[in-house]
Amino acid sequence: MALPLRYPLGNLLARRLRTALTIAVIALVVVATTLFGSLVSSLKRTLVSTGDERNLIVLRKGATNDGSSVLPLEAYQTVRFFDGIARDENGDPLASPELVVQPFFRTADGGRENVLVRGVEAAAFRVHREVRIVEGRAFRPSSGEAIVGRGVAGRYIGARVGDVLDFGRGHWKVVGMFESEGSSFESEVWVDVRELAADAKRSIPYSGLRVRAADGADMDALARRIDADPRWSLEATPEPEYYAKQAESANALYFIVVGLALLAGVGATFGATNTLYAAVQSRRAEIGTLRALGFSRGAILLSFLVESLVIALGGFAVGAVAAAALGRFVSWLLGGIAFGAATFTTSVIQLRVAPGDLLAALAMALVIGLAGGLAPAARAAKLRPIEALRRA
Amino acid sequence: MIDVRDVSRVYHRGADEVHALEHVSLFIERGRFVALMGPSGSGKSTLLNLIAGLDRPSGGVVEVAGQRLGDLGEDELARFRARHVGFVFQFFNLIPVLDARGNVELPLLLTKLGRAERRARADTALRVVGLAERADHKPSELSGGEQQRVAIARAIVTDPEIVVADEPTGDLDAKNAVEILALLRDLAREFGKTVVMVTHDPRGEAFVDEIHHLDKGVLRDTVAGGAGGGGA
Ligand SMILES: Nc1ncnc2c1ncn2[C@@H]1O[C@H](COP(=O)(O)OP(=O)(O)OP(=O)(O)O)[C@@H](O)[C@H]1O
Ligand SMILES: [Mg+2]
């Protein structure tokens, strides 16, 4: 038969300061785990959520991203008329030739970061359906205008609507801001593709091509046909697959974060162990009394484990609330978190604490509570009653 | 009720052996109030612990309430104590975070009784010791004498056959000591409990039925106490 819950809870209250300190330590670990974890998962989510399953990205064979690809003009002219590519009401193919450059932008706090600037034509807005202008208007071709993603607008000098952005050789007037349902386009600047090529002195104006498959068309067949064309060695990949691959770069980061969280967790575990050893030591006579009254070793073990788990849950609760608040505050303060992605451009992430991140932190807190409480609880349970009752 | 036959208890302290009890035999009838007396280190607590099922003898037989305690395992001994023995300690040993009622109720958690019944019995036990109106007080809010009375209520709440008390008046002033001694005597007189008390307190002699004197681990003699139960 177990001791009443009132007993471990009462003991926690009886040594408020120690309990509070231990809870605080675990809460710190929870905050760190949750925030770093959600940072990484937000990054992955941003990358993975980018791309449309009906879109193919066409790059030169061997290119790992559109920054390192080149697409000859003739290739574009040929591929866009392949069967299976959707057309608009005028009969024009939904094919968006794009040029990507990665100049440095200056941040408001004086840093320098690579930002992805994408040169596009009007077709881009029909291929990338999730992109929507939310402020101002689209750029006009050949007029030195740019539109910026929401993540860029808040972060860099001259990137707000109405500002003038300096990159490359030119000055670009920011005429609009767009959103893309949280995907990584929001970390980009879009300009007219021909203007961008001229500014960058690129003889080949395109780095890649995005095409939208017609409804009912066989995407695999289309991709195979592009891959197999002997004139240009090209490779077509469904966009979700492409971005998922980009997201793999977040995995390394993930391991670092997990490693750090584990280290902090081990520290907190020792803290909890320490607290409970002290509790066992100061309650020897009490434990002896309970054993004399007939409570089993198991009941004593359980009661100390409960104490430890309650501390851990307290730490989780405090930490989770703090992490959620801090996450909001940081996002509000910085307008997003910048991440160097594998392409060496910067992704601006909206930090969001997801249920999964909290669940991971909860699991961590419970493990801390169990691991930290086990040794002291076992020591308490092993105390022989006559020894525990003897006055030292 | 309590039958101790040729019992020895040897403690090992490093390479040393301490013979705390040597060939002690003792029989205590039901309903008696008995004192174990003797100099410090004579083995009184050791004997009491053996009778209470807190410890097992190195040799000999301890039979209490019809059970041979030497045969019981750790958890069986715990069950034996929960069912048959009430404990009173020198330093009261109440649980500080529980109020008087919570402390008295504690041994009942090891029974099958429901919540309401537990509470009713705890209150009855507190009434027996005259502390019904202090049920909601924490031990820190009670005097030493009151704490010991709560401890006695805790010892009798499960209605055990035996109550053991190790120096129950050792930490109390004269007035409270006498009250506690009278209370223990009444447990034997009115409730038929077998009460075994270790004490240095000469005042105790007047309350008990019989006194067993121990010296250096050996039972020296047994004399009648002031309550004159006509034992020895
Ligand atoms: N757990 C133990 N380990 C080693 N020696 C012990 C242990 N318990 C008791 N002893 C020794 O056994 C002897 C008897 O101890 P016990 O506690 O029974 O004496 P006591 O008569 O109760 O003395 P006091 O009046 O001081 O309480 C003492 O010499 C004591 O030091
Ligand atoms: Mg003693």
Side-chain angles (χ1 to χ4, degrees):
Chain A
M1 188 67 186
L3 283 155
L5 203 56
R6 186 150 59 97
Y7 175 67
L9 295 184
N11 278 306
L12 288 173
L13 281 180
R15 46 192 164 87
R16 279 189 191 84
L17 186 63
R18 245 204 128 96
T19 303
L21 280 175
T22 317
I23 286 181
V25 168
I26 295 176
L28 278 178
V29 174
V30 168
V31 168
T33 309
T34 311
L35 284 187
F36 284 124
S38 58
L39 213 58
V40 176
S41 57
S42 296
L43 173 62
K44 284 189 93 157
R45 200 170 35 239
T46 302
L47 291 172
V48 168
S49 74
T50 308
D52 187 313
E53 56 183 18
R54 296 300 294 167
N55 284 359
L56 288 171
I57 174 165
V58 182
L59 301 175
R60 191 187 59 190
K61 217 166 234 133
T64 52
N65 58 67
D66 50 11
S68 64
S69 170
V70 249
L71 182 80
L73 203 56
E74 308 79 47
Y76 161 62
Q77 296 294 3
T78 315
V79 169
R80 65 195 289 244
F81 293 113
F82 277 10
D83 279 348
I85 294 177
R87 305 218 166 203
D88 66 15
E89 56 278 8
N90 302 324
D92 292 328
L94 293 187
S96 166
E98 298 176 1
L99 171 64
V100 159
V101 298
Q102 296 163 11
F104 280 111
F105 278 35
R106 277 187 302 128
T107 59
D109 56 17
R112 270 155 54 87
E113 290 171 0
N114 281 110
V115 171
L116 194 144
V117 176
R118 188 179 297 275
V120 295
E121 298 182 348
F125 294 95
R126 319 202 63 155
V127 172
H128 303 295
R129 294 186 164 186
E130 73 270 35
V131 172
R132 275 188 313 117
I133 306 275
V134 293
E135 194 185 328
R137 56 174 173 82
F139 61 82
R140 275 191 291 261
S142 308
S143 44
E145 291 176 353
I147 58 174
V148 295
R150 176 176 284 290
V152 171
R155 187 166 176 83
Y156 302 100
I157 292 175
R160 293 196 184 279
V161 176
D163 290 353
V164 173
L165 247 182
D166 296 329
F167 64 84
R169 288 175 192 75
H171 308 286
W172 307 79
K173 190 160 190 321
V174 180
V175 297
M177 180 174 82
F178 62 89
E179 281 179 1
S180 61
E181 294 166 8
S183 79
S184 66
F185 293 127
E186 289 182 12
S187 304
E188 299 180 358
V189 174
W190 285 15
V191 299
D192 175 24
V193 66
R194 259 169 289 275
E195 265 187 293
L196 185 63
D199 183 83
K201 296 212 159 84
R202 294 274 288 251
S203 51
I204 299 176
Y206 305 134
S207 29
L209 175 69
R210 309 285 180 117
V211 298
R212 183 166 192 82
D215 288 341
D218 181 348
M219 275 186 71
D220 282 345
L222 178 58
R224 272 197 306 276
R225 179 157 175 220
I226 295 170
D227 290 359
D229 195 294
R231 287 165 290 179
W232 307 282
S233 90
L234 300 176
E235 191 168 6
T237 318
E239 274 188 351
E241 201 176 299
Y242 170 80
Y243 283 104
K245 200 162 232 127
Q246 304 295 311
E248 277 170 17
S249 62
N251 287 345
L253 206 60
Y254 196 73
F255 285 122
I256 294 173
V257 166
V258 167
L260 285 176
L262 284 182
L263 269 183
V266 168
T269 305
F270 280 122
T273 304
N274 211 17
T275 299
L276 276 143
Y277 267 133
V280 171
Q281 196 52 36
S282 68
R283 298 213 313 261
R284 280 175 66 93
E286 202 171 302
I287 295 162
T289 306
L290 290 170
R291 296 280 283 116
L293 296 183
F295 285 96
S296 64
R297 288 168 294 187
I300 304 290
L301 184 87
L302 190 67
S303 154
F304 275 92
L305 277 185
V306 166
E307 265 186 52
S308 181
L309 284 175
V310 168
I311 290 179
L313 285 176
F316 169 73
V318 173
V321 170
L326 223 65
R328 263 159 212 251
F329 180 67
V330 166
S331 289
W332 169 79
L333 197 69
L334 305 179
I337 317 276
F339 252 113
T343 51
F344 302 110
T345 54
T346 305
S347 291
V348 182
I349 308 300
Q350 291 309 312
L351 186 65
R352 201 167 53 103
V353 178
D357 306 321
L358 283 178
L359 227 58
L362 175 63
M364 176 121 178
L366 288 179
V367 168
I368 290 173
L370 263 185
L374 208 54
R379 175 183 286 184
K382 270 196 291 219
L383 275 179
R384 309 227 311 119
I386 49 168
E387 254 113 66
L389 283 167
R390 280 168 76 88
R391 293 230 137 198
Chain B
M1 172 87 323
I2 297 170
D3 193 5
V4 175
R5 289 198 297 275
D6 198 27
V7 159
S8 301
R9 179 66 168 100
V10 184
Y11 291 113
H12 299 274
R13 222 173 341 205
D16 292 352
E17 287 191 343
V18 180
H19 293 263
L21 288 178
E22 291 185 281
H23 305 290
V24 169
S25 293
L26 175 69
F27 184 81
I28 300 172
E29 274 174 58
R30 171 185 294 274
R32 305 280 285 175
F33 183 16
V34 173
L36 302 178
M37 299 186 83
S40 185
S42 57
K44 306 182 294 292
S45 296
T46 302
L47 181 55
L48 194 72
N49 289 340
L50 289 172
I51 290 171
L54 276 175
D55 193 14
R56 271 177 296 241
S58 314
V61 173
V62 178
E63 201 176 305
V64 179
Q67 296 212 47
R68 287 171 71 126
L69 303 189
D71 299 341
L72 302 183
E74 189 80 14
D75 290 330
E76 288 169 315
L77 271 182
R79 271 195 292 280
F80 165 81
R81 295 192 298 266
R83 192 162 310 156
H84 300 287
V85 188
F87 285 86
V88 179
F89 305 92
Q90 177 175 354
F91 301 102
F92 327 133
N93 291 22
L94 298 177
I95 307 301
V97 300
L98 301 178
D99 61 16
R101 183 185 289 116
N103 268 283
V104 175
E105 238 185 279
L106 215 43
L108 294 176
L109 293 172
L110 296 162
T111 67
K112 291 192 188 70
L113 296 179
R115 207 183 156 77
E117 179 71 359
R118 287 202 306 264
R119 197 186 156 102
R121 290 206 189 184
D123 286 343
T124 304
L126 280 169
R127 206 168 314 123
V128 168
V129 301
L131 283 177
E133 74 286 1
R134 308 297 295 276
D136 300 328
H137 289 232
K138 290 271 172 67
S140 57
E141 297 158 356
L142 300 170
S143 75
E146 288 165 342
Q147 288 188 53
Q148 195 62 304
R149 274 147 69 193
V150 172
I152 289 173
R154 179 177 67 185
I156 59 172
V157 74
T158 54
D159 199 21
E161 293 101 313
I162 297 161
V163 173
V164 299
D166 198 338
E167 309 262 16
T169 61
D171 212 39
L172 297 177
D173 61 23
K175 175 175 164 291
N176 278 304
V178 168
E179 278 179 24
I180 293 299
L181 288 167
L183 193 50
L184 290 172
R185 181 196 55 205
D186 293 346
L187 293 184
R189 284 288 169 286
E190 288 167 32
F191 298 95
K193 309 275 173 235
T194 308
V195 183
V196 186
M197 170 177 74
V198 165
T199 189
H200 278 114
D201 190 343
R203 279 178 302 238
E205 295 175 19
F207 289 84
V208 299
D209 301 315
E210 57 191 70
I211 304 164
H212 302 274
H213 284 110
L214 281 160
D215 190 15
K216 297 197 181 74
V218 176
L219 192 61
R220 287 286 169 229
D221 58 10
T222 299
V223 298

